[in-house]
């Protein structure tokens, strides 16, 4: 298999195309977006991913990677297009279907088709097989077909593409073997051979496992608040057990994976997927929970200024997709609060009608500093300096980034704070009020 066509040049498709090209394959990258195609042909990189740039330029210079808006004949076709969810929270296969249809005129007997996009169980067998067979091929004999889900973490894509174990699920044994041979070109992790449907379900369950465990941590926060216990201490101690790994609570679960993939299971088996469904509800409840806490904290302050730190779905990324921070900011906006935002990773000017500003102007005379993302920049901040600049000295750290609370002369609140925080917020507000 020397010539490949990679359909969809996004966060996963582009690094995958680059990786194959770097390992000697002749790769045509295909995208329906002309801006992406011309960016590639001009050697401009449109994805913020460490370690990608050098390899990208290298394979464009050697001519091993070329971009086009239509597929070409190839030995293997890799489909790596988005699978968002619909309003009814069902897997939206629009792009997968149109990408599969787009390769039909270029397919020849003996070709391999691989689906990398995350999909609901049985999509490869039911949907892709049918489309390919509609063009007169016998799947598994004329055309080999497999699902090989991507499992890489944004920010570490180039490392994880090579070193992670890779699930390879063919429609039959020969398809599995052909796909394994192809990924063996660069994967140093284990190639885990299985069938297409098991591969689909395994990928979904990885992210569902995390979602359910985060829901457990978020539920623990609510429980601890009622029982006057520090949830972070509970997690720290419980996780000292060799077989326990309680995840971290937070303002909600975002991103394009954990917040979406569980719905692809729920959609197929709503009656059975009870725990998965409840976990989604618990995690979805967190922005409201945080918003209500904010109202409690600043309720008695006249025209409070809220300084928001971090709007991405998780720390050290510029990605705001499905970010719970944005949902909280929307709620603040609907209630017409005075909000200013600082995010050192995000290069946009405003969000929900609020400006993104620099560190100093955001904390200046703020009544609440609200931390919504665990960027490294927030971990060792000079709290004395921050408190001095603020009008009311209250920090609400929803991501537990600030560890040392003893040293500072202000209020530091965390999730589940009502009972374990011994400093009275309202005394702080009252004492600062005299200075208004
Ligand atoms: N989060 C918590 N508490 C935690 C861990 C995460 O609240 O203890 C939140 C984060 O803040 C974020 C969300 O969960 O909002 C998701 O973050 P993440 O780092 O867990 O996952 P993603 O979406 O960036 O990437 C995941 C990865 N899956 C797993 O780790 C099982 C990645 O390997 C997958 O490739 C990716 O989903 C995907 O494409 O499916």
């Amino acid at each position: 298999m020397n010539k490949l066509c990679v359909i969809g040049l996004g966060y996963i498709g582009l690094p995958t195309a680059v990786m194959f090209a770097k390992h000697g394959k002749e790769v045509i990258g295909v995208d329906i977006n002309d801006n992406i195609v011309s960016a590639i042909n001009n050697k401009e990189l449109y994805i913020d991913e460490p370690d990608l740039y050098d390899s990208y330029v290298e394979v464009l210079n050697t001519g091993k990677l070329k971009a086009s808006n239509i597929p070409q004949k190839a030995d293997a076709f890799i489909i790596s297009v988005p699978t968002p969810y619909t309003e009814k929270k069902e897997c939206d296969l629009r792009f997968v279907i149109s990408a599969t249809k787009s390769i039909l005129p270029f397919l020849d007997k003996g070709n391999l088709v691989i689906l990398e996009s995350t999909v609901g169980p049985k999509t490869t067998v039911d949907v892709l097989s049918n489309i390919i067979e509609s063009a007169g091929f016998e799947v598994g004999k004329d055309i080999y077909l497999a699902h090989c889900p991507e499992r890489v973490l944004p920010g570490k894509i180039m490392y994880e593409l090579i070193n992670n174990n890779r699930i390879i699920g063919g429609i039959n044994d020969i398809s599995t073997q052909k796909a394994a041979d192809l990924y063996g070109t660069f994967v140093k992790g284990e190639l885990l051979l299985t069938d297409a449907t098991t591969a689909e379900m395994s990928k979904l369950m990885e992210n569902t496992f995390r979602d359910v465990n985060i829901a457990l941590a978020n539920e623990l926060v609510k429980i601890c608040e009622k029982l006057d216990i520090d949830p972070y201490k509970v997690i720290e101690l419980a996780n000292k057990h060799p077989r326990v790994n309680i995840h971290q609570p937070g303002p909600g679960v975002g991103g394009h994976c954990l917040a979406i993939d569980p719905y692809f299971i729920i959609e197929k088996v709503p009656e059975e997927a009870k725990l998965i469904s409840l976990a989604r509800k618990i995690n979805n409840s967190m922005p409201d929970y945080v918003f209500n806490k904010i109202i409690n904290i600043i309720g008695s302050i006249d025209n409070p200024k809220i300084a928001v730190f971090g709007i991405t779905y998780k720390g050290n990324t510029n990605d705001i997709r499905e970010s719970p921070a944005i949902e909280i900011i929307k709620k603040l906006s609907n209630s017409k609060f005075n909000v200013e935002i600082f995010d050192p990773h995000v290069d946009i000017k405003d969000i929900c009608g609020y400006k993104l500003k620099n560190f100093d102007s955001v904390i200046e005379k703020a009544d609440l500093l609200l931390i919504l993302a665990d960027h490294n920049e927030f971990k060792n901040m000079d709290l004395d300096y921050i408190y001095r600049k603020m009008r009311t000295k209250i920090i609400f750290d929803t991501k537990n980034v600030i560890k040392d609370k003893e040293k500072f002369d202000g209020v530091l609140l965390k999730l589940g704070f009502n009972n374990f925080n011994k400093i009275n917020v309202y005394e702080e507000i009252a004492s600062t009020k005299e200075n208004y």
Side-chain angles (χ1 to χ4, degrees):
M1 302 243 168
N2 265 328
K3 188 166 174 188
L4 310 184
C5 229
V6 177
I7 319 288
L9 298 174
Y11 274 87
I12 302 300
L14 181 69
T16 302
V18 168
M19 196 58 88
F20 274 115
K22 202 177 146 86
H23 287 79
K25 304 290 181 196
E26 202 183 310
V27 183
I28 305 296
V30 180
D31 205 291
I32 49 170
N33 183 338
D34 290 334
N35 293 334
I36 287 187
V37 174
S38 56
I40 293 179
N41 290 330
N42 292 326
K43 297 183 187 154
E44 290 159 14
L45 187 56
Y46 49 92
I47 288 173
D48 180 18
E49 180 60 36
D51 304 330
L52 176 58
Y53 185 74
D54 288 350
S55 305
Y56 174 71
V57 172
E58 178 193 319
V59 295
L60 289 173
N61 283 341
T62 57
K64 285 287 184 189
L65 174 65
K66 293 196 176 80
S68 165
N69 52 11
I70 41 166
Q72 294 180 9
K73 282 193 177 293
D75 302 313
F77 296 82
I78 298 178
I79 298 172
S80 182
V81 293
T83 41
Y85 61 63
T86 63
E87 283 209 350
K88 285 159 82 188
K89 303 225 164 25
E90 290 169 349
C91 182
D92 184 348
L93 288 175
R94 220 169 351 141
F95 302 118
V96 170
I97 291 171
S98 61
T100 312
K101 287 184 176 165
S102 78
I103 63 173
L104 293 180
F106 306 95
L107 278 183
D108 281 327
K109 281 191 179 179
N111 285 170
L112 168 66
V113 176
I114 292 171
L115 177 65
E116 284 206 2
S117 314
T118 307
V119 290
K122 299 194 191 296
T123 302
T124 309
V125 177
D126 288 345
V127 181
L128 268 76
S129 287
N130 284 346
I131 296 174
I132 295 169
E133 295 207 331
S134 73
F137 295 107
E138 192 178 331
V139 170
K141 195 159 162 251
D142 299 332
I143 301 291
Y144 309 110
L145 176 63
H147 178 55
C148 305
E150 62 80 11
R151 305 156 85 202
V152 289
L153 201 63
K156 287 176 78 179
I157 293 179
M158 296 305 274
Y159 175 84
E160 291 205 353
L161 271 178
I162 294 177
N163 294 290
N164 282 3
N165 302 326
R166 184 98 199 194
I167 298 177
I168 313 274
I171 206 106
N172 58 357
D173 287 349
I174 180 155
S175 298
T176 308
Q177 202 46 57
K178 296 260 179 200
D181 290 346
L182 184 61
Y183 283 96
T185 313
F186 64 79
V187 173
K188 291 197 184 132
E190 210 180 324
L191 297 172
L192 308 165
L193 310 189
T194 183
D195 62 85
T197 306
T198 309
E200 290 163 342
M201 196 61 178
S202 307
K203 159 72 194 195
L204 294 175
M205 280 310 289
E206 291 168 6
N207 284 336
T208 300
F209 170 87
R210 260 174 100 68
D211 195 50
V212 169
N213 279 281
I214 296 167
L216 187 62
N218 284 334
E219 186 166 278
L220 177 68
V221 155
K222 296 177 182 177
I223 292 169
C224 284
E225 185 186 325
K226 281 264 153 60
L227 298 179
D228 193 8
I229 301 168
D230 176 349
Y232 292 103
K233 196 72 200 167
V234 172
I235 293 170
E236 186 191 321
L237 296 177
N239 285 353
K240 296 280 183 201
H241 185 286
R243 288 175 296 283
V244 174
N245 178 20
I246 302 177
H247 287 30
Q248 292 303 311
V253 168
H256 56 303
C257 307
L258 270 66
I260 296 179
D261 294 359
Y263 290 120
F264 297 178
I265 301 176
I266 297 168
E267 171 193 346
K268 296 275 174 170
V269 280
E271 280 306 309
E272 289 73 18
K274 290 196 171 68
L275 179 60
I276 298 173
S277 191
L278 185 58
R280 282 280 69 237
K281 288 197 180 92
I282 291 171
N283 288 335
N284 283 342
S285 76
M286 292 311 286
D288 253 334
Y289 177 80
V290 169
F291 178 72
N292 289 333
K293 293 285 161 235
I294 297 168
I295 301 295
N296 284 346
I297 297 166
I298 56 172
S300 62
I301 304 175
D302 291 336
N303 191 24
K305 172 179 167 181
I306 303 172
V308 172
F309 272 27
I311 59 170
T312 56
Y313 84 90
K314 67 175 183 179
N316 306 320
T317 170
N318 64 354
D319 194 338
I320 58 171
R321 283 178 293 178
E322 312 286 323
S323 171
I326 306 291
E327 228 182 291
I328 293 165
I329 292 167
K330 264 189 204 141
K331 288 175 197 294
L332 294 171
S333 165
N334 290 341
S335 303
K336 306 221 175 336
F337 280 111
N338 175 15
V339 174
E340 288 183 11
I341 300 167
F342 170 62
D343 193 316
H345 289 263
V346 176
D347 192 20
I348 50 175
K349 296 215 163 11
D350 47 65
I351 196 123
C352 309
Y354 295 127
K355 295 258 170 290
L356 271 80
K357 296 188 174 171
N358 65 34
F359 179 93
D360 276 294
S361 57
V362 169
I363 56 170
E364 182 74 35
K365 294 202 167 35
D367 295 290
L368 172 67
L369 170 53
L370 175 65
I371 299 176
L372 295 177
D374 44 357
H375 295 319
N376 285 343
E377 289 86 342
F378 301 157
K379 287 185 181 155
N380 293 304
M381 295 189 296
D382 181 348
L383 294 199
D384 276 331
Y385 177 77
I386 291 176
Y387 281 132
R388 242 182 290 128
K389 288 266 199 172
M390 292 176 75
R391 186 168 71 161
T392 314
K393 301 172 197 324
I394 303 176
I395 297 178
F396 182 17
D397 173 10
T398 69
K399 293 295 287 186
N400 195 25
V401 287
I402 298 173
K403 298 291 179 203
D404 189 353
K405 68 174 182 180
E406 302 307 327
K407 284 197 324 226
F408 308 104
D409 179 24
V411 179
L412 177 62
L413 304 171
K414 303 216 177 167
L415 289 176
F417 68 84
N418 265 358
N419 298 295
F420 78 80
N421 178 64
K422 302 299 174 203
I423 309 164
N424 189 334
V425 183
Y426 302 103
E427 275 171 20
E428 171 62 27
I429 292 171
S431 73
T432 335
K433 251 185 182 166
E434 292 148 25
N435 305 326
Y436 284 3

